[in-house]
Amino acid sequence: MDSITIQPATTNDISAMVDVQRVSPEASQWNTETYHHLLSPENQKSGGWVAFTGKKLVGLLVFQRPMLDELEILNLAVMPIARCNGIGSKLLRHALSTHRGSHVFLEVRSCNHNATKFYRHFGFVNTALRKNYYHKPTDDALIMTLQT
Ligand SMILES: CC(C)(COP(=O)(O)OP(=O)(O)OC[C@H]1O[C@@H](n2cnc3c(N)ncnc32)[C@H](O)[C@@H]1OP(=O)(O)O)[C@@H](O)C(=O)NCCC(=O)NCCS
């Protein structure tokens, strides 16, 4: 695989980000308007990172900062064909290192064992459970947190 580069996500990346999301049903499924809102340069409270191998966008991470010392991971996905090559780790490390000292949190389907294993690998712990939070299919949400 070509070397992986990480760049700030811009509105020019949205179409390729939606392509990654579409083949990652475990990820949040947003429309392009949501991405425009979250990645808009005017929006100081949210942003994202994208991973490229060569010219191909293969991964995304979108975050928001509800408070100055908080970082919420809103969406994270890697193209199925590119998984298990360290791309998700590189995206998450990038987000964590640019917001050092933050209280980091996210919610994930309790049945998404690959993702929960991935987050535990980084030291995230389960701090709460929201019963029947997800629909189609119904599932509980695990709230996972990390103090950086
Ligand atoms: C979760 C996800 C982003 C991980 O990305 P990735 O690029 O495959 O992850 P990495 O290669 O950096 O893996 C890092 C560690 O996570 C764990 N992990 C990642 N994928 C895993 C899998 N399929 N099975 C078991 N463990 C896994 C392992 O501990 C791995 O470390 P190792 O390679 O030393 O064993 C990716 O699987 C994905 O896009 N899943 C679908 C979308 C999703 O579930 N998003 C999260 C919603 S909250």
Side-chain angles (χ1 to χ4, degrees):
M1 176 173 286
D2 289 348
S3 65
I4 303 155
T5 54
I6 307 291
Q7 298 176 14
T10 73
T11 50
N12 293 332
D13 296 316
I14 290 173
S15 153
M17 291 169 84
V18 170
D19 287 346
V20 173
Q21 166 196 288
R22 197 174 294 126
V23 290
S24 305
E26 310 91 334
S28 296
Q29 301 294 309
W30 297 334
N31 56 31
T32 54
E33 285 73 25
T34 303
Y35 278 103
H36 272 285
H37 169 69
L38 292 167
L39 300 181
S40 150
E42 284 89 56
N43 190 343
Q44 306 280 309
K45 290 203 163 184
S46 58
W49 299 96
V50 280
F52 284 85
T53 58
K55 290 191 173 164
K56 177 116 182 102
L57 191 154
V58 291
L60 63 92
L61 182 153
V62 180
F63 63 86
Q64 69 176 355
R65 290 172 67 70
M67 305 293 286
L68 269 180
D69 61 350
E70 289 182 359
L71 175 69
E72 180 177 10
I73 308 297
L74 294 176
N75 214 357
L76 173 64
V78 173
M79 276 279 186
I81 196 167
R83 289 184 193 159
C84 297
N85 283 299
I87 296 171
S89 297
K90 213 163 172 179
L91 282 163
L92 184 58
R93 268 200 299 272
H94 224 80
L96 298 179
S97 67
T98 48
H99 302 289
R100 225 178 279 282
S102 295
H103 172 69
V104 189
F105 62 102
L106 58 92
E107 63 202 19
V108 57
R109 279 183 179 269
S110 70
C111 67
N112 189 349
H113 301 297
N114 291 345
T116 53
K117 185 173 176 208
F118 171 85
Y119 290 123
R120 278 200 197 96
H121 191 81
F122 278 84
F124 281 81
V125 293
N126 298 355
T127 46
L129 182 78
R130 291 192 185 134
K131 289 295 278 178
N132 301 325
Y133 179 79
Y134 292 108
H135 304 287
K136 296 182 182 174
T138 302
D139 193 6
D140 302 336
L142 288 177
I143 312 297
M144 301 186 79
T145 61
L146 173 75
Q147 187 64 50
T148 59

